[in-house]
Amino acid sequence: MAPVLFLLTLFGALCSLAQPMTREEKHRLRNQVVEMFDHAYQNYMDHAYPADELMPLTCRGRVRGLEPSRGDIDDALGKFSLTLIDTLDTLVLLNKTTEFEAAVRRVLSDVRLDNDIVVSVFETNIRVLGGLLGGHSMAMMLKEGGQHMQWYQDELLHMAKDLGVRLLPAFNTSSGLPYPRVNLKYGVRGPETRTGTETDTCTACAGTIILEFAALSRFTGDPVFEAHARRALDFLWEKRQRNSNLVGTTINIHSGEWVRRDSGVGAGIDSYYEYLLKAYILLGDDLFLQRFNIHYASIMKYISQPPLLLDVHIHKPLLPARTWMDSLLAFFPGLQVLKGDIRPAIETHEMLYQVTKKHNFLPEAFTTDFRVHWAQHPLRPEFAESTYFLYKATGDPYYLEAGRTILDNLNRFARVPCGFAAMKDVRTGSHEDRMDSFFLAEMFKYLFLLFAEADDLPFDVEDYVFTTEAHLLPLSLSTAPHSSSIPSNRTELDDSNFDWTCPNTRLLFPDPAFPRNLREPIRSAVDKSCPRPAPYREPGMGRPPLRAQDFMANNPEHLELLRRMGVSLIHLKDGRVQLVQHATQAVSAVAAEDGVRFMQEMMELSSQQQKEQLPPRAIQIVSHPFFGRVVLTAGPAQFGTDLSKSSTGVSGFCSGCTEITNAEYIQGHIALLQRGQCMFAEKARHIQKAGAIGGIVIDDNEGSSSDTAPLFQMAGDGRNTDDVTLPLLFLFHKEGNILLEALKEYREVEVLLSDKARDRGVTLPPQTSSHTPASFSGVDVQEAEENCLTEATTPTSPAEEGSPLKEDVSPAESEALKEDRDSEKREEPEADIDSSSQSVDELLADWREDLEAFQQMEKDEL
């Protein structure tokens, strides 16, 4: 047997103290995977095809150029029916041969690859070229079986070669590293291409080409593709940091200089390491294995801090580069299984599993104390991938239970009538109108394989290698003829030289409890909450006449004190308040010094409030016809009921009102309030006095949305707010309009205010309102105090009347805008209503489409 085949062979099941799952239960879960795939695939075909991807909340296709740009994410879309091509070999694995044959015919008749559009070389390679090659592999396997695809004459392979030729211009650089983007019709040079000016690319972008390009060369006999991919890998290897043997995250494609010198196993580098090992598995060239082993030794020396995997600097590998991890590193335990290093794979996977159980999904990034850093989750499959490989290597039924958890969470939190929606925020359960093609290409493959028995599979998966997009390439390519012009360092090695690359279960697991003993301490570590140190306050600071913590923007005496100190108060158009100090406008030098101290104290107060920032909350519409399927991201308040400590949340019918004196419309209901006029805490007190059980403040800044604006949270009014006992949440204009339209349409709309969305199958809290029909007649609440100013607002820290968002502190004119000092944190996007936000009419039209889909689903269920 060839060495490459020996390496890929995974290993027999081990005894475990975990209860084995019955064959019947595995069969049930396998069928559930198929049903979930059908739900996602059929909705794509019904509502999105031939578009690239499905938008599952609005039940339509995502067509590039017709939807607001999402930046680099859209570079994966090329108007080539991306999801269908990415799903081809999944259909075969799930025994959907008839659907596969129909899908191939659709691809051949409908898909064009010569579109005048700029796409990502990396994404197009792994998704489209990989999808076509995986589809070709499956078509050939079925044709050889003699029952299906007898008409097939390598048409998918011809399309793959056409696409490969269109990607080749990107490799026309002095280094051999590809440009990150290419125009499918015009290449990379010339004004009509609209690309070719980039100077940088990520390591994974340049180093994740070899499997697809080598397979294309071996299938077609044309060595040019494999030669270009090898040249790119050779250049990356030469540019590694020679002392640490690590690579950076971003590299200049012309000079080879590292642009970002942080190194890890997550985003930007991940699949470079994966493809070094898998290139050896597929092609049998031990040069790739040698390089991988050198890199791997450095990863385990510097980056691996079991169970954590933390980025370091390539020149100073003992110096951490960040204090958080991204979810893409979840593939690494699976790669460690292929490498044969099972112990750290178990440890890291267990850490990821506990984080998943803590937040229902892996957040896009999380801190070393396992808190959310970036809250999105676009239904990534990497954790499921590692779960499958660990089960294959150990046979431990514990990993079947981990797979069950993945299935349950997808169905409970991500499933919507038109497919599965990405999570906008794992803390609240709010959704994003997105279902990426990799969800169908990867997630359902790994979950099906996890629960399937050998006789459930239409072919032996051990005869294939999975690409990073889980496309199947046959290991027989290692013996396929290829040009001698491609350098090869392959040598004949006897099997004994490969023992160390595979798990030796007799030595690694001296007793059946070994995996469990590795997992126990990690489970405990994740369950702990790590306290954070209190902010440091420099001693000896004198107290100005006005303390920042006492300042109220609606207090005339305070405003006069600010004027004397040379501090002016500016109300911005978006509702925020800016404080600016001009020392020359102070009444005296002493007053100017007091102003500087006031501004410095205000900065410290803002910094402290940032560290005390609360997570977002959820407003879930639970009444007919929504039944909990619509979840709106809401900003919290720093007073009133703490929803995070409530197991049921607060449920009630919404009530709009024109004047606070109309208490009969508010009593026993959740009141809708428009932002403005008075302080948030005052609004809460007024509606609480009127008998409301909760309140929702809707932003009056037209076009604002949680899609584009950072989290907003409401602070108190500078006084004790212990008297406020009801929950108050904040909705941006876009989300508020969804709720208002529902109220107009149905008059009675019941919502649940909670810390996160509740499973629609879970019993909601009992209704405490009087069920009085809601009267909708606007949401301007005219409070008793007509002289109140608009409350101060901030996207990144608690907002209260007069609290600073931008403060200027210097002897002349200095700005002290509080910013996040963490250099690794992403900049928050600014809302651009004209260019990136839909109009209210478009928003409501989208919402009505969503509502019609919900109603149709209800009819179907009945």
Side-chain angles (χ1 to χ4, degrees):
M1 179 181 293
V4 60
L5 300 181
F6 182 82
L7 175 65
L8 190 68
T9 303
L10 292 174
F11 330 98
L14 298 174
C15 296
S16 172
L17 296 183
Q19 283 289 81
M21 183 178 287
T22 65
R23 187 180 179 92
E24 291 73 21
E25 181 64 7
K26 285 183 67 177
H27 182 77
R28 186 188 70 80
L29 292 172
R30 183 208 65 189
N31 289 343
Q32 187 176 1
V33 172
V34 175
E35 184 278 328
M36 293 167 66
F37 170 83
D38 289 342
H39 178 67
Y41 178 72
Q42 201 55 53
N43 273 290
Y44 166 75
M45 296 304 297
D46 290 345
H47 300 292
Y49 182 82
D52 283 317
E53 290 180 344
L54 169 69
M55 299 173 68
L57 297 183
T58 50
C59 297
R60 66 176 190 267
R62 183 179 297 280
V63 179
R64 193 168 171 187
L66 299 184
E67 301 294 332
S69 173
R70 300 175 300 169
D72 291 348
I73 298 176
D74 285 340
D75 287 344
L77 311 180
K79 298 182 179 179
F80 36 35
S81 301
L82 174 64
T83 297
L84 183 62
I85 292 177
D86 221 0
T87 309
L88 289 176
D89 49 7
T90 306
L91 289 166
V92 178
L93 182 68
L94 271 59
N95 296 293
K96 296 184 175 295
T97 308
T98 302
E99 291 87 342
F100 171 74
E101 192 158 354
V104 171
R105 291 186 184 276
R106 282 181 180 269
V107 169
L108 299 180
S109 63
D110 298 347
V111 174
R112 294 179 58 92
L113 298 174
D114 60 350
N115 300 313
D116 179 10
I117 193 167
V118 177
V119 296
S120 163
V121 173
F122 168 76
E123 296 290 355
T124 305
N125 174 67
I126 66 171
R127 299 202 206 188
V128 186
L129 182 57
L132 292 171
L133 292 172
H136 171 68
S137 299
M138 296 294 97
M140 293 300 295
M141 181 270 297
L142 291 172
K143 184 176 181 179
E144 290 170 3
Q147 295 184 358
H148 303 280
M149 302 296 292
Q150 296 303 299
W151 55 270
Y152 182 71
Q153 299 294 328
D154 297 342
E155 289 88 349
L156 291 178
L157 180 59
H158 298 324
M159 289 185 69
K161 184 173 182 179
D162 177 34
L163 180 60
V165 170
R166 295 180 184 280
L167 295 179
L168 280 181
F171 292 82
N172 188 22
T173 61
S174 57
S175 66
L177 299 180
Y179 284 98
R181 298 175 185 84
V182 67
N183 186 301
L184 289 177
K185 187 172 185 177
Y186 297 112
V188 295
R189 297 286 176 87
E192 72 277 5
T193 66
R194 303 186 302 282
T195 188
T197 59
E198 304 93 339
T199 58
D200 306 334
T201 193
C202 72
T203 302
C205 300
T208 311
I209 306 288
I210 184 64
L211 292 189
E212 292 82 3
F213 268 41
L216 184 57
S217 284
R218 305 294 176 99
F219 273 131
T220 63
D222 187 344
V224 65
F225 306 105
E226 185 172 345
H228 278 293
R230 283 178 176 264
R231 185 184 175 206
L233 278 180
D234 290 344
F235 189 82
L236 289 174
W237 172 253
E238 288 300 317
K239 292 300 178 179
R240 75 191 186 284
Q241 212 291 322
R242 298 305 178 96
N243 292 322
S244 66
N245 281 314
L246 295 173
V247 291
T249 302
T250 307
I251 191 170
N252 185 293
I253 60 177
H254 304 296
S255 68
E257 293 293 321
W258 291 109
V259 179
R260 281 186 52 192
R261 301 185 179 189
D262 48 314
S263 183
V265 296
I269 303 181
D270 48 1
S271 48
Y272 163 69
Y273 294 131
E274 177 186 3
Y275 269 38
L276 281 178
L277 180 56
K278 289 184 175 179
Y280 165 71
I281 295 172
L282 180 66
L283 306 176
D285 189 338
D286 59 282
L287 176 66
F288 294 124
L289 179 61
Q290 178 187 2
R291 292 177 179 179
F292 174 81
N293 284 335
I294 291 173
H295 280 315
Y296 186 77
S298 293
I299 290 171
M300 299 309 292
K301 182 177 181 180
Y302 300 118
I303 296 172
S304 177
Q305 301 178 34
L308 309 180
L309 292 163
L310 293 177
D311 285 17
V312 299
H313 295 277
I314 59 175
H315 293 89
K316 297 180 179 179
L318 298 177
L319 182 64
R322 60 175 62 145
T323 58
W324 48 270
M325 296 164 280
D326 66 75
S327 63
L328 285 172
L329 61 76
F331 90 100
F332 198 67
L335 190 65
Q336 289 178 307
V337 170
L338 290 181
K339 167 70 175 73
D341 201 359
I342 299 291
R343 177 176 184 136
I346 291 174
E347 292 174 331
T348 299
H349 180 276
E350 181 62 20
M351 177 270 292
L352 296 169
Y353 186 28
Q354 295 305 318
V355 173
T356 296
K357 291 202 287 189
K358 193 178 187 73
H359 302 294
N360 298 323
F361 300 97
L362 271 182
E364 197 71 331
F366 52 94
T367 62
T368 53
D369 57 353
F370 314 113
R371 303 178 193 221
V372 173
H373 185 67
W374 297 335
Q376 306 95 324
H377 174 76
L379 307 182
R380 294 199 184 277
E382 285 78 14
F383 178 67
E385 175 185 355
S386 287
T387 302
Y388 161 66
F389 279 112
L390 270 169
Y391 178 67
K392 276 289 282 213
T394 66
D396 191 338
Y398 181 83
Y399 296 109
L400 295 176
E401 293 302 326
R404 188 204 301 266
T405 299
I406 297 171
L407 282 183
D408 290 345
N409 288 344
L410 285 173
N411 274 322
R412 291 175 61 196
F413 303 111
R415 186 166 182 147
V416 294
C418 285
F420 291 84
M423 308 306 296
K424 177 190 276 189
D425 194 314
V426 298
R427 297 166 296 188
T428 65
S430 56
H431 292 136
E432 188 175 355
D433 202 0
R434 169 183 179 186
M435 190 180 82
D436 291 82
S437 69
F438 55 67
F439 183 62
L440 286 163
E442 300 183 66
M443 180 70 81
F444 294 109
K445 273 198 190 84
Y446 291 124
L447 290 176
F448 182 81
L449 288 169
L450 178 65
F451 297 114
E453 302 290 350
D455 54 5
D456 295 326
L457 304 177
F459 56 89
D460 187 354
V461 293
E462 303 294 349
D463 293 335
Y464 296 82
V465 65
F466 289 102
T467 69
T468 195
E469 190 78 2
H471 292 305
L472 294 154
L473 299 178
L475 291 175
S476 57
L477 289 174
S478 63
T479 60
H482 59 286
S483 172
S484 58
S485 64
I486 300 175
S488 174
N489 293 277
R490 183 179 181 185
T491 57
E492 291 300 323
L493 302 174
D494 58 61
D495 286 351
S496 63
N497 290 333
F498 290 82
D499 288 345
W500 63 275
T501 68
C502 296
N504 186 332
T505 56
R506 291 169 297 178
L507 298 177
L508 188 57
F509 299 104
D511 66 79
F514 186 76
R516 189 189 67 172
N517 293 337
L518 291 178
R519 292 191 290 256
E520 286 297 337
I522 297 169
R523 182 179 300 115
S524 301
V526 177
D527 286 339
K528 289 180 181 177
S529 294
C530 299
R532 299 192 176 189
Y536 174 73
R537 299 179 70 94
E538 184 178 352
M541 290 291 293
R543 290 192 175 188
L546 177 63
R547 297 293 305 276
Q549 66 189 50
D550 299 326
F551 172 69
M552 295 183 63
N554 62 339
N555 188 319
E557 293 181 5
H558 290 181
L559 296 177
E560 175 61 21
L561 287 173
L562 288 187
R563 187 193 66 78
R564 293 178 62 82
M565 293 187 293
V567 179
S568 56
L569 183 71
I570 302 173
H571 291 273
L572 303 178
K573 290 182 179 180
D574 60 3
R576 297 183 298 167
V577 173
Q578 182 178 14
L579 295 177
V580 181
Q581 198 221 10
H582 304 273
T584 56
Q585 296 179 8
V587 297
S588 68
V590 174
E593 185 178 347
D594 287 342
V596 171
R597 289 175 179 170
F598 172 82
M599 297 296 284
Q600 290 173 337
E601 193 175 37
M602 194 65 89
M603 284 176 57
E604 188 173 288
L605 180 62
S606 293
S607 176
Q608 182 177 356
Q609 290 174 337
Q610 278 228 350
K611 293 180 180 179
E612 296 171 354
Q613 186 175 2
L614 298 172
R617 306 302 188 207
I619 297 176
Q620 190 170 10
I621 307 180
V622 297
S623 55
H624 173 87
F626 308 95
F627 303 118
R629 299 186 184 97
V630 175
V631 182
L632 307 174
T633 298
Q638 289 189 329
F639 51 86
T641 301
D642 185 353
L643 293 170
S644 66
K645 297 179 180 178
S646 170
S647 61
T648 59
V650 175
S651 177
F653 284 85
C654 290
S655 174
C657 54
T658 53
E659 295 184 2
I660 201 66
T661 53
N662 294 344
E664 66 273 15
Y665 291 105
I666 294 179
Q667 186 173 7
H669 288 67
I670 294 175
L672 300 184
L673 310 155
Q674 185 169 353
R675 178 180 175 185
Q677 306 271 338
C678 275
M679 305 294 294
F680 292 122
E682 283 302 303
K683 293 180 186 292
R685 290 188 180 98
H686 284 303
I687 63 172
Q688 181 173 291
K689 184 178 179 181
I693 60 173
I696 300 172
V697 178
I698 298 177
D699 193 10
D700 58 354
N701 181 20
E702 185 171 344
S704 66
S705 166
S706 64
D707 292 332
T708 55
L711 173 67
F712 179 90
Q713 59 179 315
M714 302 173 287
D717 54 5
R719 295 187 288 160
N720 188 309
T721 54
D722 291 345
D723 59 316
V724 179
T725 58
L726 53 69
L728 189 70
L729 297 182
F730 178 89
L731 284 179
F732 283 108
H733 191 266
K734 173 185 173 183
E735 287 77 14
N737 266 298
I738 292 176
L739 186 57
L740 292 177
E741 276 296 308
L743 190 58
K744 284 181 181 178
E745 184 80 14
Y746 295 99
R747 294 182 59 82
E748 284 193 346
V749 174
E750 185 179 4
V751 299
L752 173 65
L753 312 184
S754 61
D755 62 330
K756 61 178 66 176
R758 298 293 194 263
D759 180 8
R760 64 187 180 192
V762 174
T763 302
L764 294 169
Q767 176 54 251
T768 57
S769 74
S770 61
H771 289 227
T772 304
S775 170
F776 178 84
S777 56
V779 291
D780 286 325
V781 180
Q782 304 296 330
E783 305 289 7
E785 302 176 20
E786 293 295 333
N787 295 326
C788 288
L789 298 175
T790 301
E791 59 270 26
T793 68
T794 172
T796 57
S797 63
E800 76 177 270
E801 181 87 278
S803 63
L805 300 196
K806 298 180 181 177
E807 309 109 14
D808 290 351
V809 185
S810 75
E813 181 181 38
S814 57
E815 180 175 335
L817 173 60
K818 171 58 188 163
E819 297 177 348
D820 192 336
R821 263 66 171 184
D822 182 359
S823 62
E824 297 297 335
K825 186 171 182 180
R826 297 184 301 182
E827 293 182 5
E828 297 287 356
E830 295 181 358
D832 184 352
I833 299 171
D834 294 333
S835 62
S836 62
S837 298
Q838 292 174 293
S839 69
V840 175
D841 291 341
E842 291 172 334
L843 170 69
L844 298 181
D846 292 347
W847 179 84
R848 290 190 183 97
E849 289 181 16
D850 199 16
L851 177 60
E852 291 171 3
F854 292 150
Q855 292 172 331
Q856 183 60 46
M857 192 200 73
E858 181 189 13
K859 293 177 182 177
D860 293 343
E861 289 177 346
L862 292 175

